[in-house]
Structures are given as C-alpha cells and as structure tokens.
Amino acid sequence: MSLLFKIAFRNILRNRRRSAMTGSAVAAGALAMLLFGGFTTYIFAGLETNNVQRIGHLTVFRNGYFLFGAGNPTAYGIDNYKHLMDLIADDPVLKPMINVLTPTQSLVGIAGNFSEEVDASKTFLGVGLIPSDRDRMRQWDQLKIDAVRLPDPRLSDGDETRGLMGFGLARILGLCARLALLNCPSLPDAERPATKVASAVDQDIASLAQREAGTVAASGAPQLQLLAATAGGAPNVVSLSVSGAEPQGVKELDDNYIAMHLALAQQLVYGRGEHKVTGIVLQLHRSQDLQAARARLVSLFHEQHLDLDVRDFGELTPFYGQVVQLFSVIFLFIALVMGVIVLFAVVNTMTMNVMERTNEIGTTRAMGARRAGIRRQFILEGALIGAVGATAGTILAIVIAALVNGAGLTWVPPGNANPSPLYLYVLGRPGLAIGAWLGLVLIATLAALIPANRAGRLPVVDALRHV
C-alpha cells in the first residue's frame, strides 16, 4: 500500500502546475466553506445567547396565552405563582439544570409625559421583572461569545418605581433632553403644549396622575404616568421614574418598550387584588438540557393537574429560527457550488492524466498489473490532490480567522441594536473543519472514479500503440 502511495504522490508531482491548479480549487472551496461556516456559527451563537439572556430557555404560561394572550395579558395570569416556582425549583430533575428562575408580567397600556415642557402620550408594551434576576440572566455566556453584560444600576430591587424605556418611546414622549440621549431629536413644535390641544385620553391620564403624584418620591428623574386596565376592568395609573433608555433591535418594539419592577407592574395590573404573573422564565446552565427540562416540566404539570403551557425561546422569537434557516440555506448553496467546482476540476485533471499516460498504462498492464490496480492508482491520486488542497485551505482559513478575530472588528447582528465583536468560529468548532475536509476529499475521490474506470478499461494493445 505504501508503494501505491509513493507512486500516486510522484505522479502528482510530474505535472506540478496542473496539480497545483486543481489543489488550489479544492483549497478555495475549503476556505470559502470554513470562513462562511465560521461566520454563520458565530451568528447562531450570538442570536442564541442574546435570546437566552433576554427571555431564558423556557417560559411557563397559562394555556392559551401563547396564542391569545398578547391582546389581554391580564386574563392569563398564573395563580399562586410563588408556590409554582417552589415546585419547579425543588424538583430533583430540574434543580441541577436551572440557572435562573424568575417571574415576569406582561402588560399593555398608555404612557404619558405631562411635564411643563411636554404633553405627550403613547401606547406601550411593558414587562415587569426582578432587576437582580435580569442581571444574572445577562451573565449567561455558555457559547463563549464575550456577550456578558455588566449589572445594570438603572433598575434596582430596592426601588420599585424605577424603569427603562425604548429609545424610540423616549423620543416620542419628548424625553431625549431629560435623559441626555445622543442622536435623539426633540419634539416638533406641533407636539408641544402651547400649540397642541390635549386629547380626552391625555386629560384623563393627567387627572389620574395628579392623584398619584403624592405617592412618588421626587428623585429628579423624568416621571411617566402609566395607565392600564386592571384585571377587573377598572382603570389604574402608576408613576414610573425613568432612569434610562435602551435601544431595541426592532423599531416597533423600540417605540413601545417599557421595563419596570415586577411589583410596580403587578400594582398597575392587579391593584389591590391577588398579584399574579403572566410567565415564569427558566434559564438553564446549558442549552443542551432544553428538551429534557421541557419534557420534565410537561410531566410535572400533568402530575399536578396544572393548566400550564411551556414554550422555548425559538417559539417565542420566530426571527431566530428564520435567521438560522436563511444562513443554513446560504451555507448549503455555497457548499454545493464549491463541491461542483472541485468535482469538475478533479475530473478534468485526472482525465488529462489518463490521456497523457495511456502508453504508461498499457506498459503497466503488459507487466501484469490488473485493471483494479490501475483504477486504484488514479483514484488515490484524486484523493491525494483533494487531501492536500483541503488541508491547505483549512490552514489558510484558520490563519485568516485568527487575523479577523484579533482585528477588533464589530458589527450589529440581526435583531440587535448595539454593535457586537465580529468573530469567525473556525478553530473553535472542530466539527465544521473536519466535516468540510472530509467532504472535499470525498468529492475529489468520487470525481476521480470516472477517469480511473476509463484507465482501467483500456485494452493493453490499444494503450501500447497510442500516440
């Protein structure tokens, strides 16, 4: 076998220029597949990390909330949610998997800014959360993309009146100057109180806000009045001290987003009634445990006869699945194009080799070599060209990826509002490099089959007198 390798290797070197061109095509294929594959792997890791930091791996809802709850979240509150959280946290199967277990309250309403300079209101989509749990969730970085965020002091467990809003909502409500937001234009004159006639809704919110004014401590931060209907249908209003604005990745969300302490959200939605939550979020230590944790939750709810539903972050954010499918299809397309290029390059090279070495094939056959031996020799030459080219392309891809990763480049991933580091995950995903290498070598080997069969079937006499 070693003699066959030596002969095949020397035959490759006999026409170095042609072998180098074919090997370059294989190397280019490996380079393109690995660099784009490393880029898509990083995109998938970044999207997954962003979603898990924001909404966790799994969320428990009341049955029906996922399909109908967006229009009326208060109608799908989970009763006695603290007991349910204890049940989940103490489960012997789930306990070692859970990193953060935290309740959330979704709500909709109207936010109004009725300061001396501005008189504006806007519908909002709010979320109530536990600030310390939010900080812990933002530390999750299992996929090592350096996306760990520092604790956010703008929200605090000890101050239930603080809140954050979307950058767009701050602009619409005329809070750009008060929050010192850059690249945030002021309200046009037509929106200011001197020229604007307040609507009936604005007047109602302002009237209700005046009743609540004495209950909020004067912190110097801009105050928003939040109006929402309670679970019983009565209007309720609370004051929110805006401690900052945070841009959201989607404009529709950016123009409507408010985050606040869970207790304030519950006060707005449930008033003096029983406080509930719309969801219980589970962030796991490892994404690999997602299906096992989900199956255990479903089993647990069935055992306890609880009317609850479990959804993962992929179902709650369809955009994630769409991006994964898009880049997967693009990667498959690039891989197919590179495979076809390698296939034709190797077929062309090996066909030329057979034509030029016809007399040599006849001589070898006359000395006793069998058809299978001739066939193996040419197949091995094709495989060697594929192996050398794929190895060169892999090494080049690793070097380029290292240069890009060390260049400090940034970009804004899909669905994000802030720039993130740009990395190419080539070396960190050995399965990708091994798969691309094996795939290209296999294609080169298969491409050599046709000319190898032709060489093996050549009649000895015809091969010897070939000119």
Side-chain angles (χ1 to χ4, degrees):
M1 195 63 173
S2 61
L3 179 62
L4 195 62
F5 268 100
K6 288 181 181 178
I7 294 174
F9 188 70
R10 288 175 179 174
N11 283 333
I12 291 174
L13 296 180
R14 287 167 63 181
N15 196 326
R16 298 182 181 180
R17 182 177 300 176
R18 184 186 303 152
S19 299
M21 292 298 294
T22 307
S24 299
V26 179
L31 182 65
M33 292 171 63
L34 290 179
L35 291 183
F36 188 75
F39 180 59
T40 55
T41 302
Y42 170 70
I43 288 178
F44 297 164
L47 287 175
E48 180 176 335
T49 300
N50 180 53
N51 283 321
V52 171
Q53 287 182 346
R54 192 166 51 84
I55 61 174
H57 287 93
L58 296 165
T59 304
V60 177
F61 300 110
R62 270 189 61 183
N63 261 330
Y65 176 84
F66 181 71
L67 298 177
F68 309 106
N72 187 14
T74 58
Y76 294 89
I78 299 176
D79 303 322
N80 200 9
Y81 70 92
K82 292 182 179 177
H83 171 72
L84 177 61
M85 291 180 63
D86 291 339
L87 185 68
I88 296 173
D90 295 337
D91 185 83
V93 177
L94 294 171
K95 189 173 183 178
M97 301 181 188
I98 297 175
N99 182 41
V100 178
L101 180 66
T102 184
T104 63
Q105 174 65 46
S106 300
L107 66 156
V108 294
I110 299 175
N113 176 19
F114 305 112
S115 61
E116 295 179 358
E117 309 85 23
V118 181
D119 182 6
S121 61
K122 172 77 174 65
T123 55
F124 74 93
L125 301 174
V127 57
L129 43 81
I130 304 295
S132 58
D133 290 344
R134 174 176 178 261
D135 288 338
R136 289 170 55 205
M137 289 181 66
R138 287 152 64 103
Q139 303 297 308
W140 191 88
D141 191 24
Q142 183 207 345
L143 303 177
K144 308 297 181 186
I145 66 165
D146 295 336
V148 174
R149 305 181 189 180
L150 297 174
D152 189 350
R154 296 174 296 180
L155 293 177
S156 169
D157 286 356
D159 190 350
E160 299 176 357
T161 64
R162 289 192 200 174
L164 296 175
M165 61 195 311
F167 196 93
L169 184 58
R171 181 184 63 250
I172 294 171
L173 296 181
L175 292 174
C176 294
R178 296 288 307 276
L179 296 174
L181 301 179
L182 299 176
N183 301 319
C184 185
S186 301
L187 281 177
D189 293 338
E191 296 292 329
R192 295 189 177 280
T195 58
K196 177 186 175 185
V197 177
S199 66
V201 174
D202 293 351
Q203 293 174 359
D204 290 343
I205 298 175
S207 176
L208 288 169
Q210 289 177 358
R211 302 179 189 177
E212 296 290 325
T215 64
V216 179
S219 61
Q223 300 291 316
L224 281 185
Q225 313 307 321
L226 305 181
L227 171 69
T230 64
N236 193 13
V237 65
V238 298
S239 292
L240 178 74
S241 179
V242 182
S243 54
E246 194 171 70
Q248 307 299 308
V250 181
K251 185 177 185 304
E252 288 75 14
L253 181 61
D254 197 42
D255 291 346
N256 294 279
Y257 179 74
I258 290 180
M260 66 190 82
H261 196 290
L262 177 65
L264 186 65
Q266 290 175 321
Q267 180 186 343
L268 179 59
V269 174
Y270 300 106
R272 297 178 181 176
E274 179 192 359
H275 285 188
K276 306 176 184 178
V277 295
T278 51
I280 296 176
V281 174
L282 289 85
Q283 187 187 67
L284 309 177
H285 293 291
R286 306 186 319 143
S287 294
Q288 293 88 331
D289 295 332
L290 191 150
Q291 295 304 327
R294 181 171 187 163
R296 178 53 190 162
L297 282 172
V298 172
S299 174
L300 184 65
F301 298 154
H302 182 72
E303 293 171 4
Q304 299 294 326
H305 305 290
L306 298 174
D307 186 27
L308 298 172
D309 186 19
V310 184
R311 299 286 175 171
D312 61 40
F313 67 89
E315 294 172 291
L316 298 177
T317 54
F319 178 73
Y320 169 75
Q322 293 166 356
V323 171
V324 170
Q325 289 183 2
L326 172 65
F327 280 94
S328 297
V329 170
I330 294 175
F331 178 77
L332 179 61
F333 179 75
I334 291 177
L336 288 175
V337 171
M338 291 297 111
V340 170
I341 292 174
V342 169
L343 181 71
F344 280 99
V346 174
V347 167
N348 180 63
T349 298
M350 299 310 298
T351 301
M352 293 296 294
N353 282 345
V354 172
M355 292 178 61
E356 293 175 355
R357 291 157 55 187
T358 300
N359 293 117
E360 176 186 321
I361 294 171
T363 304
T364 306
R365 289 291 312 280
M367 294 174 64
R370 295 183 176 275
R371 295 177 185 271
I374 300 297
R375 192 179 292 116
R376 277 198 300 271
Q377 180 180 327
F378 280 92
I379 291 175
L380 188 57
E381 289 178 22
L384 279 177
I385 291 175
V388 172
T391 303
T394 301
I395 294 173
L396 193 57
I398 292 173
V399 172
I400 292 176
L403 294 174
V404 172
N405 295 343
L409 303 177
T410 60
W411 75 307
V412 179
N416 283 19
N418 299 313
S420 299
L422 175 61
Y423 294 130
L424 299 176
Y425 279 0
V426 176
L427 200 57
R429 297 291 184 273
L432 173 66
I434 294 173
W437 191 92
L438 289 176
L440 289 171
V441 172
L442 180 62
I443 290 173
T445 305
L446 293 176
L449 275 177
I450 298 175
N453 283 331
R454 181 172 178 272
R457 289 198 302 268
L458 281 174
V460 178
V461 176
D462 291 346
L464 287 173
R465 65 184 183 191
H466 177 77
V467 179

